Amino acid sequence: MIRIENISKSNSSRILYIETSAALNRGEKIGLVGPNGAGKTTLFRMITGQELPDEGQVTVEKHVTIGYFNQDVGEMSGVSAVTEVMDGAGPVSSVAAELRSLEAAMVDPDRMDEMDAIIDRYGEVQARYEELDGYGLESRAREVLAGLSFSEEMMDGDVGKLSGGWKMRVALARILLMRPDVMLLDEPSNHLDLESLIWLEEFLKNYDGALLMTSHDREFMNRIVNKIIEIDAGSLNTYAGDYGFYEQQRAQNEKQQLAQFERQQAMLAKEIKFIERFKARASHAAQVQSRVKKLDKIERVEPPRRRQTVAFEFQQAPRSGEDVANLKGVHKAYGSRVIYDGLDFMIRRKERWCIMGINGAGKSTLLKLIAGSAAPDVGSVAIGASVKMGYFAQHAMDVLDGEQTVFEWLESEFPRAGQGALRTLAGCFGFSGDDVEKRCRVLSGGEKARLVMAAMLFDPPNFLVLDEPTNHLDLDTKEMLIKALADYDGTMLFVSHDRHFLAELSNRVLEVTADGVHRFDGGYTEYVERTGYEAPGLAS
């Protein structure tokens, strides 16, 4: 359906692709992977014709429809969310718009002399609308929005009043409702809660078109894709299988390539040693010449390219007391909406609690109560002896000084730390090379979040309170963070919609539901086995 043939592409001074090829065939579901800045979004834009390759070509079969979702959702306002979604549903949406225009014309007294023509046209358009199942369009749009966790009130309200994250969901719903022949989805799993993520997973598994997507959620990708295209140093490398298989295969390929390289290097060293030893002896001239010619003809094996992944290790956190946090009889409400009604909750040293609950259940509120950024209406929150807390939430980014560079801000936070240690820290969280010279005011939301987390983990607290810590982290950085936190010796309380993160790091689960708060010993994996569902909103 889509062929990428011998393309080369540069972006300002950076080479993204060098004479490389790939294909997207009917029914394939492909994950596109590669480090940040490798050219994933550029590839999407070349497929949609928004950019052209410098050399080579990208061809799309005739009559193939493409739906492209990216993080730039554009302006939305003045219509309901459900209307905005329906307006993106391909040919049926333009027919629906004409139908609405003709309905308005039929009640316009100034157009009475055109009424016969308007009615005739209305009949034609209505027949076409029925043919396209237009009358089922609204119910399908509502079904998609409900799957993405919209309430009826949000569906019918002005889309312009929604937050950026909810507008992203509206833009995604437009593409899903359109059901094109090919979907290009650039980070569709961003801004979704766990229930929406699992619903989207099922939708895409049952979608019969072709799919090319990026995602920083390995579990989400593993459950959907049957092929991986990797962008690596200007090449597009194709692997059959899911993301887990790709990781194993890439590691195996690198191991084999390294072994080949080392064998060849040993052979070359032996030949060169012979040449050096006998080149001055006339009796060995023929043999020396033969070996020189042989070396000239040998095709050199390249060593495997090493990905720049830096392991991050915690400094030892000071030990806290056994009781880390204790909530007694906590009541919390926002207006008439009661979040907690008499909550008792104790966190002890080395426990790793993940908080589960649907949107609005009170997960972030619980973190705020424990971190002290919100107070209970009734009841008490006590933090234990020798507890040093690190709280990561979106507003934590307000601590950055916009005029300082990344490196200057880290130096101001840790004046006694060496430059090498701070550069290593910055590199772990995606700030390598010239990136450390960026001013904080020009950083994206994701970069700001990574920088704040880097600073928090450099001087580790013994109690980490984390609200969606993996948002905006790419797969490699997320894996680095999981490995670092797995070795962390302190206590954790966190909210995340990343199932890999939940499964790897939790040893307790607190489920917040309308029926009350439920505690589960064992981590997220045991919680899923015990309850039979992956998120509270999916409970039957």
Side-chain angles (χ1 to χ4, degrees):
M1 299 176 85
I2 296 172
R3 300 199 66 77
I4 298 156
E5 299 174 294
N6 293 317
I7 63 161
S8 295
K9 179 73 175 174
S10 296
N11 195 346
S12 60
S13 59
R14 185 170 187 170
I15 296 170
L16 297 176
Y17 297 105
I18 308 165
E19 294 181 358
T20 191
S21 302
L24 175 61
N25 301 312
R26 209 168 293 276
E28 285 185 329
K29 293 182 168 67
I30 298 178
L32 181 64
V33 303
N36 280 346
K40 297 188 288 288
T41 299
T42 301
L43 189 66
F44 283 140
R45 291 174 63 82
M46 286 192 285
I47 291 171
T48 57
Q50 294 168 270
E51 288 191 36
L52 294 173
D54 300 334
E55 293 174 21
Q57 59 181 357
V58 178
T59 54
V60 180
E61 275 182 22
K62 280 185 181 177
H63 311 302
V64 165
T65 55
I66 294 178
Y68 175 36
F69 168 78
N70 64 12
Q71 302 296 303
D72 183 13
V73 299
E75 281 301 310
M76 291 182 187
S77 64
V79 295
S80 68
V82 74
T83 301
E84 182 72 38
V85 171
M86 288 164 63
D87 282 348
V92 68
S93 62
S94 57
V95 176
E98 188 177 355
L99 209 55
R100 288 196 297 270
S101 171
L102 290 165
E103 284 167 355
M106 284 193 288
V107 295
D108 185 348
D110 295 336
R111 301 187 65 179
M112 289 302 292
D113 55 336
E114 303 172 56
M115 201 52 64
D116 288 345
I118 290 170
I119 290 169
D120 287 345
R121 179 61 184 157
Y122 185 79
E124 292 168 12
V125 175
Q126 190 177 41
R128 175 67 176 143
Y129 192 59
E130 285 176 359
E131 186 186 312
L132 292 168
D133 190 26
Y135 289 107
L137 183 66
E138 183 171 343
S139 66
R140 294 202 307 278
R142 288 182 181 276
E143 188 183 329
V144 170
L145 285 169
L148 296 174
S149 299
F150 280 76
S151 64
E152 287 288 333
E153 187 182 351
M154 291 169 74
M155 291 182 204
D156 293 318
D158 184 347
V159 70
K161 292 181 180 175
L162 296 174
S163 69
W166 286 100
K167 283 180 179 174
M168 288 273 188
R169 296 190 196 205
V170 171
L172 178 59
R174 284 172 65 116
I175 305 298
L176 301 181
L177 183 66
M178 178 183 170
R179 292 191 84 99
D181 299 319
V182 177
M183 279 193 209
L184 306 178
L185 304 181
D186 196 356
E187 295 296 343
S189 50
N190 277 3
H191 306 288
L192 296 185
D193 55 85
L194 193 45
E195 283 81 3
S196 300
L197 199 62
I198 292 166
W199 177 87
L200 178 59
E201 209 168 79
E202 285 304 311
F203 185 99
L204 293 176
K205 279 198 279 192
N206 295 321
Y207 163 63
D208 54 10
L211 171 69
L212 180 67
M213 73 169 190
T214 63
S215 176
H216 291 162
D217 188 320
R218 63 182 292 144
E219 192 64 37
F220 177 72
M221 194 182 286
N222 265 341
R223 296 189 189 195
I224 296 166
V225 305
N226 50 30
K227 188 170 163 182
I228 294 286
I229 293 178
E230 173 200 49
I231 306 171
D232 184 25
S235 293
L236 293 169
N237 305 322
T238 301
Y239 296 79
D242 63 14
Y243 185 80
F245 175 80
Y246 149 73
E247 276 194 313
Q248 291 171 3
Q249 195 63 44
R250 189 184 72 186
Q252 190 177 324
N253 290 352
E254 284 181 357
K255 193 175 176 183
Q256 288 172 348
Q257 192 178 345
L258 181 61
Q260 267 185 297
F261 172 73
E262 287 175 345
R263 278 198 302 272
Q264 190 182 69
Q265 290 299 303
M267 182 274 290
L268 292 173
K270 189 177 175 184
E271 293 295 315
I272 290 166
K273 188 176 179 182
F274 179 90
I275 291 166
E276 288 297 319
R277 184 177 176 187
F278 295 109
K279 65 182 178 184
R281 296 190 189 178
S283 59
H284 288 75
Q287 286 174 281
V288 168
Q289 204 58 35
S290 169
R291 294 195 182 200
V292 168
K293 284 178 182 175
K294 178 184 167 185
L295 289 189
D296 287 343
K297 288 177 184 175
I298 287 175
E299 189 174 336
R300 298 294 198 266
V301 174
E302 293 291 325
R305 282 188 290 269
R306 294 289 178 196
R307 290 248 173 147
Q308 282 191 318
T309 51
V310 188
F312 178 77
E313 292 180 8
F314 280 95
Q315 296 177 37
Q316 191 68 30
R319 183 187 168 115
S320 71
E322 289 302 313
D323 294 348
V324 173
N326 191 7
L327 286 72
K328 286 185 179 174
V330 166
H331 293 253
K332 185 67 182 176
Y334 294 106
S336 60
R337 191 162 68 93
V338 176
I339 307 295
Y340 294 108
D341 186 12
L343 172 66
D344 294 322
F345 179 42
M346 167 72 87
I347 301 172
R348 292 188 167 85
R349 192 173 77 86
K350 287 201 171 186
E351 289 180 339
R352 294 159 174 251
W353 287 90
C354 70
I355 314 300
M356 306 295 297
I358 62 169
N359 260 347
K363 302 187 296 293
S364 293
T365 298
L366 179 60
L367 268 54
K368 287 175 184 174
L369 288 167
I370 289 171
S373 64
D377 302 331
V378 179
S380 65
V381 178
I383 301 302
S386 305
V387 170
K388 178 185 174 188
M389 188 189 304
Y391 175 42
F392 177 84
Q394 296 313 308
H395 71 76
M397 295 183 274
D398 297 342
V399 302
L400 296 173
D401 180 340
E403 290 310 308
Q404 286 183 316
T405 65
V406 166
F407 195 74
E408 285 169 349
W409 185 76
L410 286 173
E411 280 189 314
S412 68
E413 289 291 296
F414 307 109
R416 294 183 182 178
Q419 286 211 357
L422 292 182
R423 286 189 184 278
T424 300
L425 173 70
C428 285
F429 284 84
F431 298 99
S432 55
D434 294 341
D435 288 341
V436 294
E437 301 306 324
K438 283 183 180 176
R439 296 204 181 276
C440 291
R441 60 181 157 76
V442 305
L443 298 179
S444 67
E447 288 173 320
K448 287 177 181 175
R450 295 204 308 268
L451 181 55
V452 171
M453 185 169 289
M456 186 172 74
L457 299 183
F458 187 66
D459 181 19
N462 51 30
F463 180 31
L464 285 174
V465 179
L466 308 173
D467 196 354
E468 295 289 0
T470 61
N471 276 2
H472 311 292
L473 299 186
D474 63 29
L475 281 159
D476 287 339
T477 309
K478 198 181 286 188
E479 201 58 38
M480 176 276 295
L481 180 64
I482 288 170
K483 283 177 181 168
L485 290 175
D487 295 332
Y488 170 63
D489 198 37
T491 307
M492 286 174 66
L493 176 73
F494 59 91
V495 172
S496 176
H497 65 245
D498 187 296
R499 284 160 291 177
H500 181 52
F501 189 89
L502 292 168
E504 290 294 316
L505 297 174
S506 59
N507 60 23
R508 301 281 191 285
V509 176
L510 188 76
E511 185 185 69
V512 183
T513 71
D515 301 328
V517 173
H518 310 289
R519 295 164 180 78
F520 296 86
D521 286 337
Y524 176 73
T525 304
E526 290 82 1
Y527 162 80
V528 173
E529 288 170 358
R530 200 173 303 174
T531 62
Y533 51 80
E534 293 186 294
L538 304 173
S540 52

